[in-house]
Amino acid sequence: MENLRELFQVMTRRFGLLNKNCCRVGEAEISLVQSHIVYEILRKDRPSMQQVADTLGMDITTFSRQIQTLVKMELVKKTPFPDDRRVSQLTLTTQGNYVAAKINAEMNQYLNEVFSNMSDFEREMVIKSVKLLNEAMSKSTVCCKPFI
């Protein structure tokens, strides 16, 4: 039987998930965690800090430090909710939207190039398999389970 851990270790390295920074946009070095935060803020409409932290499975203290860095980089804007000023909502700034679009374009280009080395059938099989794996992982009771 194949060494499953090794397969995932290699895939992790090839995706660059161990790199300190995932990308550079202009002068900004964006970490992988920051990239995920920017993506989740883009995906949701004015989410609260707790909503994004929960989605990413991060404790709020660590998440808050990342948000402060993104605010200083002028990529994220943090404002109090009108109904409850103790809760902060997050939005991307114009620069944040640009960074999100740039990262998205680079990832899509990379994935398109990877999938170009496969037949249509292989591509569909991989996509279905990844969906199946994500679903099975969401049911896992062991670790690294994101809160959704």
Side-chain angles (χ1 to χ4, degrees):
M1 182 171 175
E2 292 195 53
N3 183 337
L4 291 178
R5 180 164 183 200
E6 184 174 339
L7 289 173
F8 284 99
Q9 292 287 115
V10 169
M11 187 172 66
T12 297
R13 285 193 301 272
R14 289 191 175 142
F15 260 116
L17 299 179
L18 301 178
N19 298 353
K20 181 176 181 226
N21 293 315
C22 81
C23 44
R24 178 182 203 92
V25 180
E27 293 298 310
E29 288 277 350
I30 309 296
S31 73
L32 185 61
V33 169
Q34 292 165 344
S35 169
H36 282 272
I37 292 169
V38 166
Y39 177 80
E40 289 303 325
I41 294 171
L42 179 68
R43 218 169 58 87
K44 295 177 168 68
D45 182 38
R46 300 180 186 277
S48 71
M49 286 187 50
Q50 191 66 57
Q51 286 173 315
V52 178
D54 288 348
T55 298
L56 296 174
M58 294 177 73
D59 71 272
I60 196 67
T61 306
T62 303
F63 182 78
S64 186
R65 281 193 301 270
Q66 291 292 336
I67 290 299
Q68 291 301 32
T69 301
L70 290 167
V71 168
K72 285 179 189 167
M73 295 170 75
E74 300 181 357
L75 301 179
V76 171
K77 184 175 178 189
K78 183 174 133 182
T79 53
F81 262 140
D83 298 342
D84 185 350
R85 300 192 61 76
R86 296 169 297 169
V87 177
S88 293
Q89 64 184 8
L90 303 172
T91 54
L92 296 179
T93 63
T94 302
Q95 179 68 7
N97 278 304
Y98 172 76
V99 166
K102 187 99 166 102
I103 293 169
N104 196 40
E106 287 177 14
M107 282 304 301
N108 285 336
Q109 181 180 357
Y110 173 66
L111 291 170
N112 286 335
E113 194 271 329
V114 168
F115 282 122
S116 74
N117 296 305
M118 299 179 192
S119 69
D120 288 345
F121 173 76
E122 291 168 329
R123 194 172 18 258
E124 287 176 35
M125 188 173 67
V126 168
I127 292 168
K128 281 184 182 179
S129 296
V130 170
K131 286 179 182 178
L132 184 62
L133 180 63
N134 277 334
E135 181 64 28
M137 288 173 78
S138 75
K139 295 173 184 171
S140 171
T141 59
V142 181
C143 81
C144 311
K145 184 177 176 184
F147 303 97
I148 298 180

